[in-house]
Amino acid sequence: MPTASAATALHSLCISSQTPSPTSSSSPSNSQQLNIHLSTKPKSLLQNHPLYPPTQANLSFQIKEKILCLEIMGVDSGKALSLNPSLHSASLNSIEGIISFLQSKGILQKDLPRIFGMCPKVLTANIKTDLEPVFNFLSHDLKVPEHDFRKVINKCPRLLTSSARDQLKPALFYLQRLGFKDLNALAYQDSVLLVSNVENTLIPKLKYLESIGFSKDEAVLMVLRCPGLFTFSIENNFKPKFEYFNLEVKGKLEELKEFPQYFAFSLEKRIKPRHMQALQNGARLSLPAMLKTSDEEFNELIKPKPGRG
């Protein structure tokens, strides 16, 4: 992609519907040019598009132009328009404004497909009331220097669609109360916690840990040691893994308290196979030894030794 600004690139790649260029009988009109571009696009992108009516002729030039521009930027237009219906009425000028603003904050053009693909609502965000407060939060609350904005946003694009007032600041306040003091870790490693709802996501994970026998303080220490616990599903992760640990491994809660990373390993691909191999060889291993070691180290640990059995 040329090094021109994103907004300029968008202008150069997409045909402007507001200022059509002069045409002659020997050169196709803007609409004809656009239809030529569209006719070369895969059917899965255009003819099966959610905005595509039964007959292509009824699709307005503005919508065609928007679809084409999104695709040229590397954004799945069908997914974006489906997840963000407000894009239906958004102008290209407003989209260009969003791109220019993000670029002014250090976001590169090559970052946009992933950002817009994951969070298409960014394309219709209000710069003053939605986006600027997020970057102010990064700067003032998380102490992220401007030159690192790109790193933080690429780590968690959902920051751009989170309300600084209603989501980011309350989450930061709650996490700091629990004991998350390292702002760098929250900004560069665990930023997904900042976009997690306190009442519906974070607190229930602690409550679950308490429900299986840990005290509140122990549960807090576990998430401080392994912040990823806040991101795991109770039904799909915690429950089946704890059930296996309790019924098959027959381990003690103290082991999970010391190694909460147990819940980060795959039950089917790591925990069960490793446990069964150790069991078959008569080896009793700690959770870290069973799960963190390489295959070579693990095989050495479970190798039958004289006197075992």
Side-chain angles (χ1 to χ4, degrees):
M1 181 65 66
T3 57
S5 70
T8 302
L10 192 56
H11 269 304
S12 64
L13 289 171
C14 301
I15 305 164
S16 174
S17 63
Q18 298 180 13
T19 55
S21 59
T23 59
S24 66
S25 58
S26 59
S27 62
S29 66
N30 282 345
S31 181
Q32 291 171 327
Q33 290 178 35
L34 183 59
N35 281 325
I36 291 173
H37 281 295
L38 289 172
S39 67
T40 64
K41 299 293 289 182
K43 289 185 178 182
S44 62
L45 294 177
L46 294 173
Q47 288 187 332
N48 293 331
H49 193 280
L51 284 186
Y52 229 88
T55 57
Q56 181 177 336
N58 292 333
L59 191 62
S60 71
F61 172 78
Q62 287 77 17
I63 294 297
K64 291 179 182 179
E65 182 182 50
K66 194 178 303 179
I67 292 172
L68 180 59
C69 289
L70 289 171
E71 295 290 345
I72 288 176
M73 282 194 294
V75 179
D76 183 335
S77 60
K79 180 180 177 182
L81 287 158
S82 175
L83 294 177
N84 183 8
S86 296
L87 266 175
H88 296 198
S89 56
S91 68
L92 285 180
N93 284 340
S94 67
I95 294 175
E96 290 167 9
I98 297 291
I99 293 173
S100 295
F101 175 78
L102 293 178
Q103 188 177 29
S104 75
K105 297 300 183 180
I107 309 300
L108 301 182
Q109 188 172 337
K110 65 180 181 180
D111 304 325
L112 298 180
R114 179 172 175 271
I115 292 174
F116 293 153
M118 291 180 64
C119 306
K121 288 188 177 181
V122 177
L123 287 161
T124 55
N126 183 292
I127 293 176
K128 185 173 182 179
T129 61
D130 297 331
L131 298 182
E132 284 185 352
V134 170
F135 286 97
N136 288 337
F137 170 80
L138 295 181
S139 178
H140 300 150
D141 296 84
L142 285 187
K143 311 302 180 186
V144 176
E146 288 189 15
H147 62 79
D148 275 347
F149 283 166
R150 175 177 179 249
K151 183 186 297 184
V152 174
I153 293 301
N154 278 331
K155 175 68 175 178
C156 185
R158 287 172 57 196
L159 287 165
L160 293 174
T161 57
S162 299
S163 166
R165 183 191 66 185
D166 300 329
Q167 170 59 48
L168 301 179
K169 291 187 177 185
L172 177 61
F173 178 73
Y174 175 75
L175 292 168
Q176 288 180 315
R177 282 185 59 192
L178 286 182
F180 286 85
K181 303 300 184 184
D182 189 344
L183 292 180
N184 280 340
L186 283 174
Y188 301 107
Q189 300 171 31
D190 305 315
S191 48
V192 67
L193 301 185
L194 296 169
V195 300
S196 302
N197 185 275
V198 173
E199 291 78 13
N200 298 327
T201 301
L202 302 183
I203 291 178
K205 308 299 172 61
L206 288 178
K207 292 296 184 184
Y208 175 77
L209 291 174
E210 291 177 45
S211 75
I212 60 177
F214 296 105
S215 69
K216 183 176 181 179
D217 288 343
E218 288 173 334
V220 169
L221 287 175
M222 289 174 69
V223 297
L224 288 174
R225 179 173 292 181
C226 182
L229 294 181
F230 270 140
T231 68
F232 300 151
S233 164
I234 291 176
E235 294 298 325
N236 300 325
N237 187 307
F238 282 116
K239 286 186 176 181
K241 289 178 183 177
F242 179 70
E243 180 179 337
Y244 188 83
F245 174 80
N246 191 40
L247 299 180
E248 303 298 333
V249 178
K250 302 185 187 304
K252 298 179 180 180
L253 286 179
E254 186 69 23
E255 295 179 77
L256 291 179
K257 185 174 73 173
E258 294 299 320
F259 189 66
Q261 294 89 339
Y262 165 82
F263 291 103
F265 290 91
S266 168
L267 180 59
E268 298 299 330
K269 296 180 180 180
R270 192 74 163 188
I271 298 173
K272 285 184 178 181
R274 285 283 179 95
H275 175 247
M276 292 304 297
Q277 284 181 270
L279 203 61
Q280 290 168 3
N281 284 271
R284 172 65 181 174
L285 304 177
S286 67
L287 291 180
M290 184 172 75
L291 300 175
K292 288 180 66 177
T293 53
S294 66
D295 288 343
E296 183 178 352
E297 292 169 333
F298 176 74
N299 289 331
E300 185 64 30
L301 287 173
I302 65 173
K303 186 181 297 183
K305 294 178 174 58
R308 179 190 291 175

